[in-house]
Amino acid sequence: MNTIIGVMGPGEEATSDDLSNAYLLGKFIAEQKWVLLTGGRNAGVMHSASKGAKENKGTTIGILPGDDYASLSEYVDIPVVTGLGNARNNTNILSSRVIVACGIGPGTISEIALAIKARKNVILLNDDEMAKNFFKKLSDEKVYIAGNIDEACKLLIELVQNY
Amino acid sequence: MNTIIGVMGPGEEATSDDLSNAYLLGKFIAEQKWVLLTGGRNAGVMHSASKGAKENKGTTIGILPGDDYASLSEYVDIPVVTGLGNARNNTNILSSRVIVACGIGPGTISEIALAIKARKNVILLNDDEMAKNFFKKLSDEKVYIAGNIDEACKLLIELVQNY
Amino acid sequence: MNTIIGVMGPGEEATSDDLSNAYLLGKFIAEQKWVLLTGGRNAGVMHSASKGAKENKGTTIGILPGDDYASLSEYVDIPVVTGLGNARNNTNILSSRVIVACGIGPGTISEIALAIKARKNVILLNDDEMAKNFFKKLSDEKVYIAGNIDEACKLLIELVQNY
Amino acid sequence: MNTIIGVMGPGEEATSDDLSNAYLLGKFIAEQKWVLLTGGRNAGVMHSASKGAKENKGTTIGILPGDDYASLSEYVDIPVVTGLGNARNNTNILSSRVIVACGIGPGTISEIALAIKARKNVILLNDDEMAKNFFKKLSDEKVYIAGNIDEACKLLIELVQNY
């Protein structure tokens, strides 16, 4: 079984920092020979992380909300077509060994919360102090704060090794 | 078609305030001749809200995560058995005209976030200032703050009328 | 808890016999004070069964595949909006005490098969000999054959009493 | 994007013919450099097909019904953990370019029916004449009959090329 790392984050509302962080996360995950899992669409963090992984010889899975390939990122190797809409967010979480939330938005928040509920470790990578405080208070045990991409990568290594 | 109001909140981790608020919400929803929708389990906010509605001649729906009636609240008239686990949280939201988040916890947070994503109005009824600020910042337009049960009931009336 | 009876059958491809049988099933379910559950759309067996129940003072639930009320039958009291597409067929089955398959088609076949898998009793009401033989061979124990609407109603009474 | 081929079939109830056919299908899919998708459990057709693919350098995806790795086949590279129970059968279908139904049983029947509903091509590989006639009558256009493993492989080549 491969080690699957989920990278979750905004689609259309991603910031330029989110996009560059997502690319670097995808690259790092590929370099570790892990498999990248995202929400699969050709937008925002999903797309940039998949691009970062593919351009560095990684393998990418995309868990699509729709019932066809209409919104699929070209950097996804293995599209899983669920037709579940946002109910697929729970599949994203259950299928990932560790989750990185890269940026913040309603969908991402639902995923962080579902991760805590499923007792998965989540790394928060963004500069929204309120979001970090909010989730850290919710689960000091399962939520990890990364101040930048290097800290996120170090945390990923630790959390995968101690899984 | 009935007017369905969703009341979401913690199960096992509900506080005594959450429980008494949930009971009063169920009662109020029954008095308005609306239908109450909850997560259906015999625990916490789901159970108390259903009790409040049933003891006041209301109708109650429960969207269960499991694949049988094992965890069903005795105050649910119409159990919908999904077998979806927490993926059923999205069904809770999509099926509710307005949502009241009574208390806070990981499951409830996922539902507030999914509600914002689905463009539904959500009323937050709890005394967690951080949660209220966090969600108000996320969506000033769809998130409403209730300081107490009376404010929550007034907001419900307004939001149902303007739906 | 109410006794929920599922009536499943074709939408757009329903025959006139399917439609009249569905109406009579809805009427009978209402007269027994049971609750009718269908797939909720304004088409075929779902729509006719809901009409039969509503015109006889019954209560009707519709488990919708879409993420809004766009395709909702006007005879559904309680729409459950899943956004799951045809994955919602499993919710239809798990939520029903007994299922009547009224007519036949791909969606209905998936529901009969999921019912057998979930160890639910299913009554087949149609004149397709091949379908009846096929499913009777698959599960002699859980599949019941009704030659006409009266036999279907008698079987419903028996199966609900012995549940 | 990879070419994903779904192989569906009974778990615990698989016959020895189903198991040997499943192994050979997995092997063939690997040799074509396609990706194998199954229901992911360590039982029956899912397990044998995955074994056939892995022992021939293929890549295997498993769409698990449970919410953890408890029932996972050791021959699955990429487990997608859905927690959806049998509602995940629709994901199996929507994610596969072509489906081979290897053997027959309730779960497999639900998948063949969902495939027809989703307008996917399905190859039936089993010696149950009634099942073949039943589904061929249901959809002459989308259902293909394979008399043996060689015919199934030839049909796969044709259907993938004409997709």
Side-chain angles (χ1 to χ4, degrees):
Chain A
M1 171 174 30
N2 288 292
T3 295
I4 298 177
I5 306 297
V7 175
M8 309 292 142
E12 286 71 10
E13 295 77 22
T15 67
S16 60
D17 276 3
D18 295 341
L19 296 178
S20 59
N21 282 334
Y23 184 90
L24 293 171
L25 282 166
K27 178 174 186 290
F28 180 75
I29 288 165
E31 288 165 354
Q32 303 302 309
K33 312 289 181 207
W34 298 331
V35 168
L36 172 70
L37 182 148
T38 71
R41 293 198 298 114
N42 55 355
V45 164
M46 301 171 264
H47 187 65
S48 277
S50 300
K51 187 177 183 191
K54 281 318 297 169
E55 293 185 347
N56 291 278
K57 300 184 186 170
T59 298
T60 54
I61 314 174
I63 311 288
L64 288 165
D67 57 8
D68 59 24
Y69 300 120
S71 66
L72 178 66
S73 166
E74 67 200 87
Y75 298 107
V76 168
D77 295 316
I78 298 178
V80 174
V81 182
T82 69
L84 298 171
N86 288 312
R88 72 84 152 81
N89 292 5
N90 203 42
T91 295
N92 294 354
I93 295 309
L94 296 177
S95 302
S96 298
R97 192 168 297 196
V98 179
I99 292 104
V100 187
C102 177
I104 204 78
T108 311
I109 290 168
S110 77
E111 289 165 320
I112 299 169
L114 290 168
I116 293 169
K117 195 143 177 89
R119 313 279 313 138
K120 298 273 181 175
N121 291 313
V122 200
I123 299 167
L124 304 191
L125 175 58
N126 65 66
D127 49 18
D128 182 326
E129 288 304 315
M130 196 186 286
K132 289 190 274 195
N133 291 335
F134 176 69
F135 282 113
K136 196 69 187 163
K137 182 181 163 204
L138 186 70
S139 173
D140 190 41
E141 185 195 357
K142 307 307 286 179
V143 172
Y144 294 79
I145 307 293
N148 54 47
I149 182 72
D150 289 337
E151 285 181 29
C153 293
K154 272 185 210 161
L155 281 164
L156 265 179
I157 294 270
E158 284 174 33
L159 292 170
V160 167
Q161 283 175 345
N162 296 325
Y163 184 73
Chain B
M1 172 176 27
N2 288 291
T3 295
I4 299 177
I5 306 296
V7 174
M8 309 292 141
E12 288 70 11
E13 295 77 20
T15 66
S16 59
D17 276 2
D18 295 340
L19 296 178
S20 58
N21 282 334
Y23 184 91
L24 294 171
L25 282 167
K27 180 174 184 290
F28 180 75
I29 287 165
E31 289 165 353
Q32 304 303 311
K33 313 290 181 205
W34 299 330
V35 168
L36 172 70
L37 182 149
T38 71
R41 293 198 299 115
N42 56 354
V45 164
M46 300 170 265
H47 188 65
S48 278
S50 301
K51 188 178 181 191
K54 282 318 297 169
E55 293 185 348
N56 291 279
K57 303 186 183 168
T59 299
T60 54
I61 314 174
I63 311 288
L64 289 164
D67 57 7
D68 59 24
Y69 301 121
S71 67
L72 179 65
S73 168
E74 67 201 85
Y75 299 107
V76 168
D77 295 315
I78 297 178
V80 174
V81 182
T82 70
L84 298 172
N86 289 313
R88 72 84 154 82
N89 292 6
N90 202 43
T91 295
N92 294 354
I93 294 310
L94 296 178
S95 302
S96 299
R97 193 167 297 195
V98 179
I99 292 104
V100 186
C102 177
I104 204 80
T108 311
I109 290 168
S110 77
E111 289 164 321
I112 300 169
L114 290 167
I116 293 168
K117 194 143 177 90
R119 311 281 314 142
K120 299 271 182 176
N121 290 312
V122 200
I123 299 166
L124 303 191
L125 175 58
N126 66 66
D127 50 18
D128 183 326
E129 288 304 315
M130 197 187 283
K132 289 190 276 195
N133 292 335
F134 176 68
F135 283 113
K136 196 69 187 164
K137 182 180 161 203
L138 186 69
S139 173
D140 190 41
E141 183 196 358
K142 307 307 286 179
V143 172
Y144 295 78
I145 307 293
N148 55 48
I149 181 73
D150 289 337
E151 285 181 27
C153 294
K154 273 185 209 161
L155 281 166
L156 266 179
I157 294 270
E158 285 173 32
L159 292 171
V160 168
Q161 284 174 346
N162 298 325
Y163 184 72
Chain C
M1 171 177 25
N2 289 290
T3 296
I4 298 177
I5 307 295
V7 174
M8 309 292 142
E12 287 70 11
E13 295 77 21
T15 66
S16 59
D17 276 2
D18 295 341
L19 296 178
S20 58
N21 281 334
Y23 184 90
L24 293 172
L25 282 167
K27 178 174 186 289
F28 181 76
I29 287 164
E31 287 165 353
Q32 304 302 309
K33 312 288 181 207
W34 298 331
V35 168
L36 172 69
L37 183 150
T38 70
R41 293 198 297 115
N42 56 356
V45 163
M46 299 171 266
H47 187 65
S48 277
S50 300
K51 187 178 182 191
K54 280 318 297 169
E55 293 186 347
N56 291 277
K57 302 183 185 171
T59 298
T60 54
I61 314 173
I63 311 288
L64 288 164
D67 57 9
D68 59 24
Y69 300 120
S71 67
L72 178 66
S73 167
E74 67 200 86
Y75 298 107
V76 168
D77 295 316
I78 298 177
V80 175
V81 182
T82 69
L84 298 171
N86 289 311
R88 73 85 153 80
N89 292 5
N90 202 43
T91 295
N92 294 354
I93 294 309
L94 296 177
S95 302
S96 299
R97 194 167 296 195
V98 179
I99 292 104
V100 187
C102 177
I104 204 81
T108 312
I109 289 168
S110 77
E111 289 165 320
I112 299 169
L114 290 167
I116 293 169
K117 194 144 178 90
R119 312 282 311 141
K120 298 272 182 176
N121 290 313
V122 200
I123 299 167
L124 304 191
L125 175 58
N126 66 65
D127 49 17
D128 182 325
E129 289 304 315
M130 197 186 283
K132 289 191 274 195
N133 291 335
F134 176 68
F135 282 113
K136 196 68 187 164
K137 182 181 163 203
L138 186 69
S139 173
D140 190 39
E141 185 196 356
K142 306 308 285 179
V143 172
Y144 295 79
I145 307 293
N148 54 49
I149 181 73
D150 289 338
E151 285 181 28
C153 293
K154 274 185 208 160
L155 281 165
L156 266 179
I157 294 270
E158 286 174 33
L159 292 171
V160 168
Q161 285 175 343
N162 297 325
Y163 184 74
Chain D
M1 172 175 26
N2 287 291
T3 296
I4 298 178
I5 306 295
V7 174
M8 309 292 143
E12 287 72 9
E13 296 76 21
T15 66
S16 59
D17 276 3
D18 295 341
L19 297 177
S20 58
N21 282 334
Y23 184 91
L24 294 172
L25 282 167
K27 179 175 186 287
F28 181 75
I29 287 164
E31 289 165 353
Q32 304 303 311
K33 312 290 181 205
W34 299 330
V35 168
L36 173 70
L37 182 149
T38 72
R41 294 199 299 115
N42 56 355
V45 163
M46 300 170 266
H47 187 65
S48 277
S50 301
K51 187 177 182 191
K54 282 317 297 169
E55 293 185 348
N56 291 278
K57 303 185 183 169
T59 299
T60 55
I61 314 173
I63 312 287
L64 287 165
D67 57 7
D68 59 23
Y69 301 119
S71 67
L72 178 65
S73 168
E74 67 201 85
Y75 298 107
V76 168
D77 295 314
I78 298 177
V80 175
V81 182
T82 70
L84 298 172
N86 288 312
R88 72 82 155 82
N89 292 6
N90 202 43
T91 295
N92 294 354
I93 295 309
L94 296 177
S95 303
S96 299
R97 192 167 298 196
V98 179
I99 293 105
V100 187
C102 177
I104 204 81
T108 311
I109 290 168
S110 77
E111 289 165 320
I112 299 169
L114 290 167
I116 293 169
K117 195 145 177 87
R119 313 281 314 142
K120 297 272 184 175
N121 292 313
V122 199
I123 299 167
L124 304 190
L125 174 58
N126 66 65
D127 50 18
D128 182 326
E129 289 303 316
M130 196 186 285
K132 290 189 274 194
N133 291 334
F134 176 69
F135 283 113
K136 196 68 187 166
K137 182 181 161 202
L138 185 70
S139 174
D140 190 40
E141 185 196 357
K142 307 308 286 180
V143 172
Y144 294 78
I145 306 293
N148 54 48
I149 181 73
D150 289 338
E151 285 182 28
C153 294
K154 273 184 209 163
L155 281 165
L156 267 179
I157 294 271
E158 284 173 32
L159 291 170
V160 168
Q161 285 175 342
N162 297 324
Y163 184 73

